[in-house]
């Protein structure tokens, strides 16, 4: 069944950024019609659905200033950013914090800690000498944001993911979505889209081999990245990977951001530290990689030296807020934070790309708008504001809601699409094609194949031959497997859609890694054939866009000139990967085989290259 709706703004994804977009769009113009789409149910969807324990990067005077955010982002991106976007985020942090307290109906000092003067008390975590982490008692944050969205009167369509952003004349004009439960199609005419779908964080395959029960939600397959790309948006830094350090076997986060500001750190069995800070950036990943490559793993989160009070605080946050299953996991294995080497970590699981935790995503400016008029981005899909985490999603989510409202208020309705019914039937037939196949490939098989290739060929350190092979595999699966894939349910149909996203984003990761002919960002873009940064790539984005012929195009673009002079590199060095494995076996003078093989040649002449006899039907006597 087809439904046609009219909206001024469609918000795709109702996580932290999406809910703030809806709230701020309503504040900017209460008369606008806002539709919110989500794969799941808004109250519990997104990374914030489990509850949050901190705003990892935020500027709050007097302890930190917007310039401090600029300093951090300039350093961890190694100078490849628009500093004005970072500064804009820093400027609106106080507003975002005050709004959260108001939305969650929490008194100052209850949701966030304050000092004796009433100033928010920030903690150190990042690789600069400024406190930028604000602890938070945010278990109910997502439900409060969802409640506030419903109070605005926005139409919330749970379990109705978007599958296409539609443009006309290069501008946003509509969104096509499908309800997971009913299979009904919705075409929503709109003036603006706020894209807040989150990261392409679940691209590779976890070491467990599982497709579900993993750190990143399996649906984080880069659908927002792929939709933006198909709509003509420019994406940047797709070669700057996110490589997660996780709690081994639990497939949950290492929670270094909870424990590190409170005195924990990462060590190997000989209590050698992997790095000097707990921030998840390319330098710290190099340190972890070093320990494993030296054969001096595994690595552990060291907490046994902390006071009992601090250990209990860490347990309270980690077990009771973000990952409630974590306490049961430890207890079933008799793992006690008070013991040495109790918490083992896994390294570089499930490679992917992310704007909020790295630098990869849709390029945006200080208003959050992309190069496609009417398309705004915020949160982990946003590549214009790197390394901003939850604070960036909330602050810039609100900003793009305002900006989209101003844009939508000032332009006429998009023209009615001609031949809408025929177009909808065509789109639906294409989407549902896997349902009609008999004896096709199971979706789980193709998904496993795609994710395994991403993990095997793209995991750093990168090799250009592997990168070429990854791009080749993405195209091969697209051409050979997708036309034969079989869906047996609506759930399966959406898995096909996710596989398509994996192939598109995986190809972007491979091609941009090949295009940037240097290494940068520590572990995140480390090419063994070019193990150093190069001057000609300083401040340069790799911009990916869909070409007019449908091909993937890449180009270099200089990021805006810096207004603030801060360090543009982190503390690390690419190692020389020469290993002394000793002398190889030396062949003696008699160690020699003939240059020809007449015995096997005779069999070849007699049997030819036909199908082996064991596969042929036996003739009846």
């Amino acid at each position: 069944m087809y439904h046609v709706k009219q909206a001024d703004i469609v918000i795709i994804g109702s996580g932290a950024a999406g809910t703030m977009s809806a709230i701020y769009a309503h504040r900017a113009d209460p008369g606008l019609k806002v539709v919110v789409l989500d794969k799941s149910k808004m109250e519990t969807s997104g990374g914030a659905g489990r509850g949050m324990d901190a705003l990892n990067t935020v500027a709050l005077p007097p302890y930190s200033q917007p310039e401090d955010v600029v300093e951090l982002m300039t350093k961890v991106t190694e100078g490849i950013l628009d500093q004005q976007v970072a500064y804009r985020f820093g400027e609106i942090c106080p507003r975002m914090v005050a709004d959260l307290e108001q939305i969650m109906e929490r008194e100052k000092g209850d949701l966030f800690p304050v000092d004796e003067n009433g100033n928010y008390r920030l903690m150190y975590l990042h690789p600069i000498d400024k406190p930028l982490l604000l602890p938070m008692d945010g278990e109910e944050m997502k439900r409060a944001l969802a409640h506030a969205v419903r109070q605005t009167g926005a139409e919330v369509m749970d379990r109705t993911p978007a599958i296409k952003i539609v443009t006309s004349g290069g501008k946003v004009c509509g969104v096509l979505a499908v309800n997971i439960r009913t299979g009904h199609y919705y075409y929503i005419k709109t003036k603006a889209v706020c894209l807040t779908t989150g990261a392409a964080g679940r691209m590779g395959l976890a070491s467990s081999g599982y497709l579900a029960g993993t750190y990143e939600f399996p649906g984080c397959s880069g659908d927002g990245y792929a939709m933006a790309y198909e709509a003509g948006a420019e994406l940047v830094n797709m070669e700057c990977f996110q490589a997660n350090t996780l709690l081994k076997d639990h497939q949950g986060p290492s929670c270094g951001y909870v424990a590190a500001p409170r005195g924990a750190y990462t060590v190997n069995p000989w209590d050698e530290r992997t790095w000097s800070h707990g921030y998840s950036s390319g330098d710290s990943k190099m340190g972890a990689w070093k320990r494993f490559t030296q054969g001096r793993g595994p690595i552990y989160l060291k907490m046994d030296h902390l006071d009992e009070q601090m250990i209990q605080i860490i347990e309270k946050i980690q077990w009771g807020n973000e990952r409630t299953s974590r306490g049961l996991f430890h207890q079933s294995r008799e793992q006690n934070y008070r013991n040495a080497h109790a918490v083992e970590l896994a390294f570089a699981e499930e490679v992917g790309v992310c704007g909020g935790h790295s630098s990869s995503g849709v390029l945006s400016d200080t208003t959050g708008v992309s190069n496609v008029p009417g398309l705004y981005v915020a949160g982990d899909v946003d590549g214009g504001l790197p390394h901003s985490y939850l604070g960036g999603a909330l602050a810039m989510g609100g900003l793009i809601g305002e900006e989209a409202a101003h844009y939508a208020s000032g332009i006429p309705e998009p023209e009615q699409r001609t031949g809408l019914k025929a177009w909808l039937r065509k789109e639906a037939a294409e989407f549902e094609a896997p349902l009609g196949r008999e004896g096709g490939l199971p979706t789980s098989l193709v998904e496993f194949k795609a994710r395994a290739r991403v993990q095997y060929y793209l995991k750093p350190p990168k090799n250009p031959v592997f990168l070429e092979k990854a791009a080749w595999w993405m195209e091969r699966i697209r051409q050979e497997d997708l036309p034969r894939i079989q869906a047996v349910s609506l759930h399966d149909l959406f898995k096909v859609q996710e596989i398509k996203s994996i192939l598109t984003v995986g190809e972007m990761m491979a091609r941009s890694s090949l295009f940037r002919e240097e290494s940068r960002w520590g572990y995140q873009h480390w090419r063994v054939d070019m193990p150093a940064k190069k001057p000609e790539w300083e401040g340069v984005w790799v911009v990916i866009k869909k070409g007019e012929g449908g091909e993937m195009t890449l180009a270099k673009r200089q990021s805006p000139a810096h207004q603030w002079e801060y360090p543009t590199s982190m503390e690390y060095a690419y190692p020389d990967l020469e290993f002394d494995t000793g002398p190889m076996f030396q062949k003696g003078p008699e160690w020699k085989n003939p240059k020809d093989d007449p015995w096997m040649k005779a069999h070849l002449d007699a049997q030819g290259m036909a199908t082996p006899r064991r596969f042929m039907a036996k003739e009846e006597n």
Side-chain angles (χ1 to χ4, degrees):
M1 184 176 290
Y2 306 108
H3 306 266
V4 178
K5 290 177 173 285
Q6 182 85 41
D8 295 294
I9 302 172
V10 173
I11 296 169
I12 305 177
S14 64
T19 49
M20 288 294 269
S21 296
I23 293 167
Y24 274 78
H26 178 74
R27 289 182 183 178
D29 189 341
L32 295 178
K33 168 71 173 176
V34 177
V35 173
V36 181
L37 303 173
D38 199 281
K39 280 183 178 180
S40 182
K41 186 173 176 59
M42 180 171 59
E43 277 70 10
T44 53
S45 67
R50 300 182 182 95
M52 302 305 288
D53 59 73
L55 301 175
N56 291 342
T57 299
V58 66
L60 292 170
Y63 287 107
S64 59
Q65 310 296 330
E67 289 85 353
D68 300 331
V69 171
V70 178
E71 179 182 353
L72 169 71
M73 293 184 179
T74 302
K75 182 175 183 182
V76 296
T77 63
E78 301 202 313
I80 303 177
L81 81 164
D82 183 345
Q83 287 186 330
Q84 295 292 345
V85 178
Y87 186 82
R88 182 67 179 131
F89 161 55
E91 277 189 318
I92 60 177
C93 284
R95 181 183 79 167
M96 175 265 292
V97 167
D99 275 343
L100 270 184
E101 289 176 328
Q102 182 267 322
I103 291 169
M104 296 179 68
E105 298 179 349
R106 305 280 289 270
E107 297 293 330
K108 189 171 185 180
D110 181 31
L111 183 60
F112 305 107
V114 296
D115 65 14
E116 61 277 10
N117 298 315
N119 300 312
Y120 294 104
R121 189 189 299 275
L122 301 170
M123 303 179 83
Y124 291 89
L125 170 71
H126 309 78
I128 64 170
D129 291 326
K130 305 287 173 51
L132 295 169
L133 182 142
L134 181 64
M136 176 184 186
D137 179 30
E139 182 182 346
E140 293 296 324
M141 184 195 79
K142 187 62 197 306
R143 289 162 185 79
L145 289 171
H147 176 72
V149 172
R150 294 193 191 276
Q151 292 293 102
T152 67
E155 181 176 0
V156 179
M157 301 176 69
D158 290 328
R159 301 185 178 89
T160 308
I163 59 172
K164 179 170 285 189
I165 298 170
V166 185
T167 60
S168 177
K171 300 179 181 178
V172 165
C173 68
V175 173
L176 182 61
V178 185
N179 184 277
I180 292 173
R181 298 289 175 84
T182 65
H184 289 190
Y185 292 85
Y186 295 87
Y187 179 67
I188 310 166
K189 294 191 295 182
T190 186
K191 301 173 185 176
V193 165
C194 292
L195 184 66
T196 53
T197 47
R202 182 74 177 88
M203 301 303 298
L205 188 67
S207 59
S208 67
Y210 297 154
L211 294 175
T214 53
Y215 168 50
E216 293 272 5
F217 169 58
C220 292
S221 57
D223 54 343
Y225 288 70
M227 281 191 289
Y229 169 77
E230 295 293 340
E234 296 176 335
L235 294 96
V236 295
N237 294 339
M238 295 298 285
E239 68 278 20
C240 184
F241 293 179
Q242 172 185 247
N244 295 309
T245 301
L246 303 178
L247 178 62
K248 182 77 168 57
D249 298 329
H250 180 254
Q251 295 296 334
S254 62
C255 285
Y257 289 2
V258 175
R262 296 173 172 86
Y265 52 91
T266 308
V267 298
N268 68 358
W270 298 271
D271 282 340
E272 298 168 316
R273 296 183 69 149
T274 61
W275 210 246
S276 59
H277 63 79
Y279 187 68
S280 181
S281 45
D283 56 344
S284 62
K285 301 300 181 194
M286 286 293 289
W289 175 89
K290 172 185 172 183
R291 293 304 184 204
F292 280 97
T293 305
Q294 289 175 323
R296 298 182 71 79
I299 58 175
Y300 306 96
L301 189 61
K302 180 176 173 58
M303 294 177 282
D304 60 300
H305 61 292
L306 301 177
D307 294 340
E308 174 63 23
Q309 181 187 61
M310 193 61 85
I311 291 177
Q312 289 183 16
I313 289 170
I314 293 171
E315 288 175 336
K316 162 64 178 173
I317 297 171
Q318 293 189 340
W319 302 1
N321 191 339
E322 283 210 16
R323 297 294 189 279
T324 52
S325 64
R326 184 167 177 143
L328 294 173
F329 174 83
H330 288 312
Q331 290 168 14
S332 68
R333 297 181 177 220
E334 299 181 349
Q335 296 172 344
N336 191 322
Y337 289 4
R338 294 152 190 82
N339 298 332
H341 306 158
V343 181
E344 182 181 346
L345 305 179
F347 173 62
E349 295 280 299
E350 309 168 26
V351 296
V353 286
C354 179
H357 299 69
S358 181
S359 305
S360 321
V362 179
L363 183 60
S364 65
D365 66 10
T366 53
T367 66
V369 74
S370 70
N371 63 302
V372 178
L375 178 60
Y376 297 80
V377 294
D380 288 348
V381 72
D382 180 11
L385 179 66
H387 287 264
S388 62
Y389 290 81
L390 176 62
L394 293 165
M396 301 305 277
L399 180 73
I400 67 169
E402 283 180 329
E403 295 292 339
H406 296 152
Y407 173 81
S409 298
I411 64 170
E413 299 288 340
E415 292 184 6
Q416 175 67 45
R417 187 185 182 95
T418 57
L420 180 60
K421 288 184 179 179
W423 178 80
L424 280 171
R425 283 195 293 269
K426 173 178 171 295
E427 292 291 326
E430 182 179 330
F431 183 71
E432 295 178 5
L435 273 177
R437 296 195 183 107
E438 296 289 339
L441 299 171
T443 54
S444 59
L445 179 72
V446 182
E447 182 187 358
F448 187 94
K449 185 175 179 179
R451 292 192 189 279
R453 268 62 179 177
V454 167
Q455 192 73 14
Y456 184 82
Y457 289 110
L458 293 182
K459 183 178 177 179
K462 301 175 184 177
N463 176 320
V465 180
F466 276 178
L467 296 174
E468 291 277 9
K469 198 72 174 179
W472 180 85
W473 267 114
M474 298 301 104
E475 181 62 20
R476 180 186 173 97
I477 296 172
R478 188 182 293 123
Q479 295 297 328
E480 295 190 358
D481 294 344
L482 282 186
R484 296 191 295 144
I485 200 167
Q486 180 187 11
V488 297
S489 64
L490 270 177
H491 176 269
D492 250 8
L493 265 186
F494 284 95
K495 295 305 292 184
V496 175
Q497 193 71 8
E498 290 173 2
I499 293 167
K500 291 178 181 177
S501 300
I502 293 170
L503 299 177
T504 299
V505 177
E507 183 178 350
M508 284 195 270
M509 294 167 68
R511 296 203 182 283
S512 59
S513 295
L514 279 166
F515 192 81
R516 181 176 284 280
E517 294 183 330
E518 64 159 1
S519 290
R520 190 168 288 269
W521 308 302
Y523 183 80
Q524 292 170 301
H525 177 62
W526 176 13
R527 285 187 53 162
V528 292
D529 59 325
M530 301 174 182
K533 290 182 281 188
K534 295 182 178 178
E536 60 267 33
W537 285 97
E538 293 292 340
V540 174
W541 279 315
V542 173
V543 181
I544 293 184
K545 186 180 179 182
K546 188 173 185 177
E548 293 184 359
E551 75 284 4
M552 192 172 284
T553 66
L554 298 97
K556 297 172 70 172
R557 181 182 302 166
Q558 193 71 36
S559 58
H562 290 181
Q563 180 176 339
W564 294 270
E565 293 298 324
Y566 290 123
T568 57
S569 64
M570 294 180 282
E571 293 81 9
Y572 66 90
Y574 288 106
D576 183 356
L577 293 184
E578 290 294 329
F579 299 101
D580 182 3
T581 55
M584 290 187 283
F585 167 68
Q586 297 297 313
K587 299 172 183 174
E590 296 181 355
W591 203 104
K592 186 180 297 180
N593 290 316
K595 294 182 178 178
D596 57 1
D597 188 349
W599 176 77
M600 195 62 223
K601 180 64 166 59
H603 284 77
L604 174 63
D605 293 342
Q607 299 169 5
M609 296 297 289
T611 304
R613 285 170 294 181
R614 67 180 183 279
F615 296 120
M616 304 300 290
K618 293 182 179 178
E619 294 183 4
E620 295 291 337
N621 187 348

